[in-house]
Amino acid sequence: METITWHDFEKVELHAGTILEVADFPGARKPAYKIKADFGPFGIKWSSAQITKHYTKEQLPGRQILGVINFPKKQIANFMSEFLVTGFADENGDIVLAAVEKTVPNGSKLV
């Protein structure tokens, strides 16, 4: 594991956002959803998330998540992902969302 400095960590714009909308993403190579999230002053952003094993589309709207919002946009099939949804791989490699324990303002930065 490489050691980083506090300055390195501060470069990662890891912010809280609330999921507004979830759609199927049939064009993705691996099963995924298209996620629309509100990051407050940073705006509404879309991402692709491979979280279909643990979550249904109906469970996700209103949930606060952590997203990296300063990566460049990435094209996934015919879709542009604007942020990285964060999570942890379980024992099968399926993603469990990193989440906020108590509600914070959208756009709050992880410190």
Side-chain angles (χ1 to χ4, degrees):
M1 172 178 12
E2 181 181 348
T3 301
I4 64 170
T5 66
W6 180 256
H7 180 70
D8 293 331
F9 175 71
E10 287 182 314
K11 291 178 186 177
V12 180
E13 294 292 331
L14 192 51
H15 293 264
T18 300
I19 296 175
L20 301 175
E21 189 179 320
V22 181
D24 290 324
F25 189 5
R29 279 184 301 155
K30 295 181 181 179
Y33 296 131
K34 292 179 183 177
I35 305 284
K36 180 181 181 182
D38 180 357
F39 286 94
F42 302 100
I44 307 294
K45 297 183 180 294
W46 284 90
S47 184
S48 170
Q50 296 174 0
I51 56 173
T52 59
K53 294 287 186 185
H54 289 293
Y55 307 95
T56 65
K57 290 187 301 186
E58 295 76 25
Q59 292 174 312
L60 294 167
R63 183 182 190 124
Q64 256 191 336
I65 57 171
L66 295 171
V68 177
I69 63 171
N70 66 326
F71 281 137
K73 291 181 182 179
K74 180 178 182 180
Q75 185 162 353
I76 302 169
N78 61 346
F79 175 75
M80 290 301 288
S81 182
E82 300 174 299
F83 73 97
L84 174 70
V85 177
T86 61
F88 301 92
D90 68 9
E91 61 278 356
N92 298 314
D94 300 317
I95 302 301
V96 175
L97 288 171
V100 179
E101 182 181 0
K102 295 187 186 278
T103 303
V104 297
N106 287 333
S108 295
K109 185 173 181 182
L110 181 76
V111 294

